[in-house]
Amino acid sequence: MTHPIYFDQICPNLPIADPANQVVRDDFVTTFTQKWPENTLFQSGYGADDLAAMLVTSQYLQRLALRHGDDVGPCLNGQAASQINIAKTQFIASMQSAGDEKTALRAIRVWRERTALMVALSDLAGREDMPQQMQWLSEAAQTVLSATIQYLFRQAAQRGKIKNFDADLSGCGWTVLALGKLGAGELNFSSDIDLIMLHDTHHAPFDNHDAVQPFFVAMTRDLIRLLGSATSDGIGWRVDLRLRPDPGATAVSIDLTAAISYYESIARTWERAAFIRARPVAGDLALGNSFLEQIQPFIWRKTLDYTVMEDMKTMLRRPPQGNGWRGYNLKTGKNGIRQIEFFTHVLQLVAGGRDKELRHRNSLAALGALAAATWITNEQAAALGTAYHQLRRIEHRLQMIADNQTHSLPRGEEDLEKFAHFMGHRTAADFCNKLDNLLDQVGANAKHGLLNPADSNISAADGMKDILLDDYDALVGWLGNHGFERPKIIADTLSGWMAGRISATRSERARALLNRLMPEILMSFTAADAPDDKFAALAQFIEGLPASVQIFSLLDYNRHLTRLLCDILLLSPQLGNHLRQYPTLFDLLLYQSFFKPLPDATIMTAQLQQICDGRNIEDALDQIKIKTREWKFQVEIQALSQTIDSTTLATGLSAIATATVRLILDLARADMTRRHGQIDGSVTILALGRLGTGQMTVSSDLDLLFVYDAPETALSDSKRPINAPTYFARLAQTMVSWLSTATAEGVLYPVDLRLRPEGEAGAIATSLDRLKTYFAADAWIWEKLALAKARPIAGDADLTKKLHLATHAIVNQPHDHSLIGPAIDNMLVRIRKVRKGKSKWYLRARDGGLVELDLLIQGMRLQHGDLFDQTGQSVAAILAQLKTSGNIDANHAEALQDADRLFSEIHQCLRLTFGNTASVPDQLPPPLQQFMLARMDLADEQQLTLLLETALETVFAILNQYLANDPAISA
């Protein structure tokens, strides 16, 4: 037996045979000697028994040895190089003569098997070192690419698709770049080959430029199929094209000019690192070299900005090692292969812009150059180089077992023991101890003061912080292991963002910030149920942003806000849409006063006035919109975070609307004075509906009634006088326009004037006299019900007093049930006739729901109007007065109060989160369900549903009692 040369601490000997697998070895020996009786094993000093012991762990290698027995003896005798050259010559000849695809497919797979076998035997017998093995593997892949692409061009020429080319394919317009380990000449035993396919649209040999991309896309797909598809002869090489620019959105072959534009504008730090090892390997090599020359400024920069340095630090941080060695990932694990590669690449990127001597593709050459330039010590270079090759040797042995692209040690104890034997160790403990020493050696030497990487002893829970979003495989694995049900979809989405595929991440700074933020955000998602839903909400938000460096910067410096943002987006789609449109609102969260109570309407009005002083009307209106939007956001977030209850939310929203109307009235009166002069008259604005009762929701419109009082002969004092009806109508129109017309800053409020006398047929501004006469003679009962909610919110004090007397005379008087009951009954018939089946949570359309409760309460209030001095009372206030006076049974009053609280809470919650309650699904989304249950202190949705259905039935029953004028209503 020839004495082995290349054994070391990690692989100290030939594979150790286990007596338990003697039968398997005997079967192999019998089969091999029968099939290859003239084998040359004896010349190497090895026998068939020795060969069986080497290969017993790998059925894959046993199969290859039985297929290609003539290659075994020369490899074990140290003649693998010449035998590989023989196989290469035979392969090239087969491809050149191949007249059909079947022949080409077989030739490719035979070439792959022979090189794999010869490399494996050279390693197992210690005949060749790792650099030589990796070079052979890389040359085999480069040879197959060149020969296969030449075959495809010949086939295309025979079909008349393109002209014939010389063997070097010069001028063909297509080049194949190798990146990763193939680019470095350090290919793995079972590695994918990382390629980028580029075509030159303007110089390719086609008359029609539109035909160039489809042709080369088809060629790329044919190449992938020929190399990677499974046949009866196995597979050849798997091709990975994901390193091309924005792989989720680009064709498999990319126009060269477009690629240059991408790398000059959008490309990321990891792509710079990837191109350190790039080289053309097939097609038009001159075209590939020209492309690489053009993007040199992208790869090698003269200066280094902060965000790039941050990316580099992240590249150097790796996840911590788990418990024990089972399943340890040699590539991505702590102090693993990638740690050495990233450390080397980072220092190359730092200094390679100024020092061309550092621009090496090969890892050992790069480490040597870094040591020569004193970026690292000679001892570091030697230690990391040795460790790199030893780790790669373990990785190769793992892949030899079944030709799988794996990087992880076996997870089973028995399998780990077998693998230790395959590595030449007698026990798994011996092997793991040597591996532990090796990884410590990497950790001790992969350090540099410039980079100052974070403490590597971080907890496993923080592992996500050490995964770049661009590390697709690691990202998918982490997501899948932490409760995400659609890890590949999420990883694809993140890859698209980092490729600048959305407007929010077009700038390099935005992508850098997102890369720092997203790991922590993803980690926060795992702390609750349905992390996929949380990500979907965030994705919808980010993808809708026009530009987002500002909000990403805010979150980067205030990490505690990221979770709040995600909670907001998940819980409140309507607020998420608002934030997406106005992302600067999120800045407000930085102020300590944000979660303090809002001021009242009077203080708000004064603040708005101060903001508007000295501004023209357009600017003033925009400032009002900005300020009211901020107040709304503040009170809505307070409600979402459960800082305030729903009653306080309604009060705050009503105060904001009140202050807004007051200031808009002041601005509109000033505008009328400027345009038409002054007039002898006064105006007051009555709020009706939810604003009148102070129960606004986040999506309520403004039910307003404009009332003025002026002498019949009053005229404005302008050059062209106008009378009072015209003057106040224009004032009202101006106000409505300013409140409801959209500008760049949005809309203040939708305005509804349909509750004025005579509805849409009536004047937009109603005189006090007309209001009195209308309600005295012409008004319907429903109009009196609406007027009972009236509350003066803006205008002149003298008219407000007059209006109080007028409304008191209209609604604060007793009304006979014989008028109210039938009127409400008729209204219910019409309402129920037109409403359609909606969500069970759409309480406005439910029997016994919001509308019917409101009609019942307001009907009873109007019937007993003499009990009240004011208008605009809440349901609770009305019921309390009716109960005190004995006009409603105490149990009924309590039941209706409970129903009102429940309905209001549900309605406010749904308006706050969904906006449109009609669209809420019957089965509440989990985040919304949890939010509502917490606000109402309920155990589960079943209890909530039971309470709701009971309340609806109760309201419906009491309403019917009232309509029937049942004496029990007040018993």
Side-chain angles (χ1 to χ4, degrees):
M1 180 177 71
T2 305
H3 182 68
I5 302 173
Y6 297 107
F7 285 146
D8 50 41
Q9 62 165 345
I10 207 68
C11 184
N13 210 332
L14 294 168
I16 295 175
D18 185 344
N21 54 37
Q22 184 65 54
V23 175
V24 177
R25 284 181 279 139
D26 290 343
D27 288 343
F28 174 80
V29 169
T30 301
T31 305
F32 183 81
T33 53
Q34 289 177 349
K35 188 168 184 179
W36 302 97
E38 299 181 3
N39 70 79
T40 57
L41 267 176
F42 68 93
Q43 297 177 359
S44 67
Y46 291 102
D49 289 335
D50 299 316
L51 177 64
M54 291 184 203
L55 306 183
V56 69
T57 305
S58 171
Q59 292 184 2
Y60 170 69
L61 292 180
Q62 293 175 43
R63 185 168 65 250
L64 297 192
L66 293 174
R67 285 184 181 177
H68 310 289
D70 283 343
D71 293 329
V72 174
C75 291
L76 295 181
N77 200 27
Q79 299 172 356
S82 59
Q83 193 69 15
I84 287 174
N85 284 333
I86 293 171
K88 178 179 178 180
T89 301
Q90 293 171 348
F91 166 66
I92 293 174
S94 297
M95 291 298 291
Q96 289 175 343
S97 63
D100 56 48
E101 190 172 283
K102 182 178 180 181
T103 304
L105 285 166
R106 176 164 176 73
I108 291 167
R109 280 142 188 79
V110 169
W111 169 234
R112 167 63 166 57
E113 289 188 345
R114 293 184 70 183
T115 54
L117 174 64
M118 288 187 272
V119 168
L121 290 172
S122 298
D123 180 56
L124 293 170
R127 299 299 304 173
E128 300 292 346
D129 62 9
M130 283 306 297
Q132 182 61 72
Q133 294 176 43
M134 293 187 294
Q135 182 182 337
W136 282 340
L137 291 167
S138 301
E139 289 176 350
Q142 184 169 348
T143 298
V144 80
L145 284 167
S146 179
T148 306
I149 287 174
Q150 290 175 14
Y151 164 80
L152 288 171
F153 269 100
R154 288 196 303 273
Q155 294 294 307
Q158 290 176 13
R159 296 194 302 271
K161 297 288 186 180
I162 200 169
K163 70 175 186 178
N164 282 308
F165 287 92
D166 294 335
D168 65 359
L169 295 179
S170 176
C172 72
W174 196 39
T175 189
V176 181
L177 300 182
L179 291 87
K181 290 183 169 61
L182 176 56
E186 299 171 332
L187 197 62
N188 276 341
F189 184 84
S190 299
S191 177
D192 291 352
I193 50 178
D194 296 310
L195 304 178
I196 292 179
M197 327 297 282
L198 299 172
H199 57 263
D200 187 349
T201 301
H202 296 289
H203 297 98
F206 290 87
D207 295 331
N208 180 6
H209 288 170
D210 292 338
V212 176
Q213 178 160 310
F215 176 79
F216 288 119
V217 166
M219 289 280 280
T220 302
R221 289 175 177 158
D222 288 341
L223 175 67
I224 294 171
R225 181 172 47 79
L226 286 171
L227 295 184
S229 60
T231 71
S232 59
D233 296 309
I235 66 167
W237 282 262
R238 294 173 292 266
V239 177
D240 190 340
L241 300 178
R242 289 179 298 171
L243 293 183
R244 72 185 188 276
D246 194 6
T250 55
V252 290
S253 182
I254 301 172
D255 176 68
L256 185 141
T257 303
I260 292 173
S261 175
Y262 172 85
Y263 290 117
E264 288 177 344
S265 59
I266 297 178
R268 294 150 283 176
T269 301
W270 72 265
E271 289 172 301
R272 291 180 58 200
F275 267 94
I276 292 175
R277 301 191 286 186
R279 63 188 175 100
V281 291
D284 189 335
L285 300 184
L287 179 64
N289 282 318
S290 173
F291 169 78
L292 290 176
E293 185 63 31
Q294 291 182 72
I295 67 167
Q296 288 301 294
F298 155 71
I299 306 170
W300 307 108
R301 297 180 183 176
K302 298 298 183 183
T303 59
L304 192 68
D305 62 62
Y306 173 77
T307 56
V308 172
M309 183 64 77
E310 283 299 308
D311 285 349
M312 291 177 178
K313 290 179 182 178
T314 305
M315 288 166 69
L316 285 174
R317 295 195 298 263
R318 305 308 314 155
Q321 182 179 318
N323 297 324
W325 289 105
R326 285 180 286 176
Y328 172 75
N329 192 305
L330 292 159
K331 179 178 179 180
T332 62
K334 179 183 177 183
N335 296 334
I337 293 168
R338 187 167 285 180
Q339 179 79 6
I340 300 173
E341 292 175 340
F342 278 3
F343 175 78
T344 307
H345 297 160
V346 164
L347 291 178
Q348 285 181 281
L349 289 176
V350 168
R354 294 186 177 92
D355 187 352
K356 292 185 178 181
E357 297 301 319
L358 299 180
R359 302 178 185 181
H360 289 276
R361 300 186 187 97
N362 180 271
S363 298
L364 251 66
L367 286 168
L370 288 168
T374 69
W375 280 91
I376 59 175
T377 65
N378 290 323
E379 291 76 15
Q380 279 181 287
L384 291 175
T386 299
Y388 185 67
H389 285 156
Q390 290 182 352
L391 289 170
R392 292 294 303 276
R393 191 171 199 177
I394 303 172
E395 184 181 43
H396 280 206
R397 290 285 176 98
L398 285 167
Q399 296 176 356
M400 289 177 192
I401 295 174
D403 192 28
N404 289 330
Q405 190 186 11
T406 182
H407 313 282
S408 299
L409 296 180
R411 294 186 178 277
E413 187 173 342
E414 183 178 348
D415 289 336
L416 183 59
E417 193 75 24
K418 290 179 180 178
F419 181 72
H421 295 165
F422 195 39
M423 290 297 300
H425 292 271
R426 295 203 171 275
T427 66
D430 289 342
F431 167 68
C432 292
N433 285 336
K434 292 296 189 294
L435 177 57
D436 193 23
N437 294 335
L438 184 61
L439 297 178
D440 286 345
Q441 181 179 328
V442 175
N445 287 280
K447 291 181 179 179
H448 194 283
L450 173 67
L451 301 172
N452 189 28
D455 182 6
S456 60
N457 295 318
I458 57 174
S459 67
D462 289 338
M464 182 59 203
K465 294 180 181 178
D466 298 316
I467 295 178
L468 284 173
L469 298 189
D470 298 309
D471 191 342
Y472 183 86
D473 293 335
L475 178 60
V476 170
W478 187 92
L479 292 168
N481 292 332
H482 287 78
F484 288 87
E485 296 180 356
R486 299 179 290 276
K488 288 188 176 181
I489 293 176
I490 294 173
D492 288 341
T493 301
L494 291 171
S495 296
W497 293 354
M498 295 307 296
R501 203 181 301 161
I502 59 174
S503 59
T505 58
R506 293 279 160 78
S507 74
E508 186 173 353
R509 174 158 175 75
R511 295 192 298 275
L513 289 169
L514 184 63
N515 202 33
R516 292 210 298 265
L517 282 167
M518 189 50 64
E520 187 169 318
I521 292 174
L522 291 174
M523 288 173 61
S524 73
F525 288 171
T526 65
D529 294 333
D532 295 76
D533 293 342
K534 285 195 170 186
F535 179 82
L538 179 67
Q540 186 180 25
F541 172 70
I542 290 177
E543 291 175 359
L545 289 173
S548 59
V549 171
Q550 296 90 341
I551 196 167
F552 288 165
S553 297
L554 171 69
L555 295 175
D556 187 40
Y557 285 101
N558 301 274
R559 296 300 181 91
H560 64 286
L561 297 182
T562 57
R563 186 161 189 170
L564 177 58
L565 172 62
C566 295
D567 288 343
I568 291 169
L569 298 175
L570 187 64
L571 185 56
S572 179
Q574 69 88 19
L575 192 51
N577 292 336
H578 206 54
L579 261 181
R580 188 163 58 244
Q581 189 175 4
Y582 305 105
T584 55
L585 285 173
F586 214 65
D587 295 350
L588 300 175
L589 290 163
L590 296 177
Y591 294 93
Q592 293 182 349
S593 60
F594 184 81
F595 285 98
K596 292 182 178 179
L598 288 181
D600 61 23
T602 301
I603 296 175
M604 286 183 184
T605 305
Q607 291 180 3
L608 289 176
Q609 183 65 60
Q610 186 177 9
I611 291 172
C612 293
D613 282 347
R615 299 180 186 272
N616 62 46
I617 190 61
E618 290 80 8
D619 193 15
L621 289 174
D622 281 344
Q623 292 303 312
I624 294 171
K625 289 175 181 179
I626 292 170
K627 189 60 181 177
T628 56
R629 184 163 62 237
E630 291 176 351
W631 278 328
K632 289 179 186 177
F633 178 71
Q634 182 178 353
V635 76
E636 288 173 30
I637 294 298
Q638 289 180 2
L640 277 177
S641 60
Q642 313 237 30
T643 305
I644 61 174
D645 59 21
S646 293
T647 300
T648 308
L649 170 64
T651 300
L653 292 170
S654 301
I656 297 168
T658 298
T660 303
V661 171
R662 287 176 180 173
L663 196 68
I664 292 294
L665 175 60
D666 290 344
L667 293 175
R669 295 182 83 164
D671 182 68
M672 286 296 296
T673 299
R674 179 185 61 81
R675 290 189 293 143
H676 300 292
Q678 294 185 335
I679 195 169
D680 181 14
S682 53
V683 65
T684 290
I685 299 177
L686 290 180
L688 306 170
R690 285 192 168 270
L691 179 55
T693 59
Q695 295 175 307
M696 287 190 70
T697 70
V698 297
S699 55
S700 295
D701 56 14
L702 303 184
D703 294 305
L704 301 179
L705 177 57
F706 292 85
V707 181
Y708 70 91
D709 187 29
E712 290 185 6
T713 58
L715 293 172
S716 64
D717 59 5
S718 60
K719 292 181 180 179
R720 301 181 64 180
I722 56 176
N723 60 23
T726 303
Y727 189 96
F728 289 106
R730 291 182 183 178
L731 173 64
Q733 289 168 344
T734 299
M735 281 196 66
V736 171
S737 175
W738 289 353
L739 284 167
S740 59
T741 300
T743 67
E745 293 296 340
V747 175
L748 281 169
Y749 292 96
V751 177
D752 190 342
L753 304 179
R754 291 175 297 175
L755 295 180
R756 66 186 185 271
E758 299 175 289
E760 294 181 350
I764 192 172
T766 304
S767 71
L768 177 61
D769 289 340
R770 177 56 183 151
L771 182 76
K772 294 177 180 178
T773 57
Y774 179 81
F775 275 96
D778 302 321
W780 297 84
I781 288 294
W782 69 264
E783 292 177 295
K784 290 188 176 183
L785 296 177
L787 189 63
K789 297 181 180 181
R791 178 171 63 94
I793 59 172
D796 299 305
D798 59 339
L799 180 55
T800 299
K801 292 179 181 178
K802 294 178 183 179
L803 266 174
H804 170 67
L805 295 174
T807 54
H808 183 81
I810 296 168
V811 297
N812 289 348
Q813 306 298 325
H815 289 69
D816 195 272
H817 182 277
S818 62
L819 297 175
I820 298 173
I824 292 177
D825 199 20
N826 289 334
M827 282 186 273
L828 287 171
V829 170
R830 292 197 301 272
I831 291 170
R832 291 168 178 168
K833 186 176 181 180
V834 298
R835 75 185 184 196
K836 298 178 180 179
K838 303 280 185 179
S839 160
K840 76 175 184 180
W841 304 106
Y842 185 45
L843 301 184
R844 294 181 60 83
R846 297 290 305 271
D847 287 341
L850 275 170
V851 172
E852 300 190 1
L853 175 63
D854 182 66
L855 287 173
L856 169 62
I857 299 301
Q858 295 302 329
M860 297 177 70
R861 185 233 177 271
L862 187 62
Q863 180 180 349
H864 304 287
D866 55 324
L867 300 176
F868 301 91
D869 295 325
Q870 304 290 331
T871 54
Q873 297 89 355
S874 65
V875 169
I878 294 172
L879 286 171
Q881 187 65 35
L882 292 173
K883 178 181 175 182
T884 301
S885 64
N887 287 292
I888 187 172
D889 175 73
N891 292 330
H892 284 357
E894 185 176 342
L896 292 176
Q897 284 178 332
D898 290 344
D900 175 59
R901 281 192 292 268
L902 179 65
F903 293 174
S904 295
E905 191 68 61
I906 292 173
H907 191 63
Q908 287 285 4
C909 286
L910 297 180
R911 288 288 191 184
L912 179 63
T913 54
F914 265 74
N916 179 12
T917 56
S919 63
V920 180
D922 284 351
Q923 183 65 45
L924 293 174
L928 176 57
Q929 179 191 104
Q930 293 168 13
F931 174 69
M932 291 177 63
L933 295 177
R935 286 189 76 85
M936 290 179 258
D937 195 23
L938 299 176
D940 51 36
E941 187 175 336
Q942 184 178 3
Q943 184 182 7
L944 173 58
T945 299
L946 178 61
L947 286 174
L948 174 60
E949 297 303 323
T950 301
L952 291 168
E953 292 174 4
T954 299
V955 172
F956 188 72
I958 296 175
L959 173 63
N960 286 330
Q961 280 185 294
Y962 177 73
L963 294 178
N965 202 17
D966 189 340
I969 198 78
S970 58

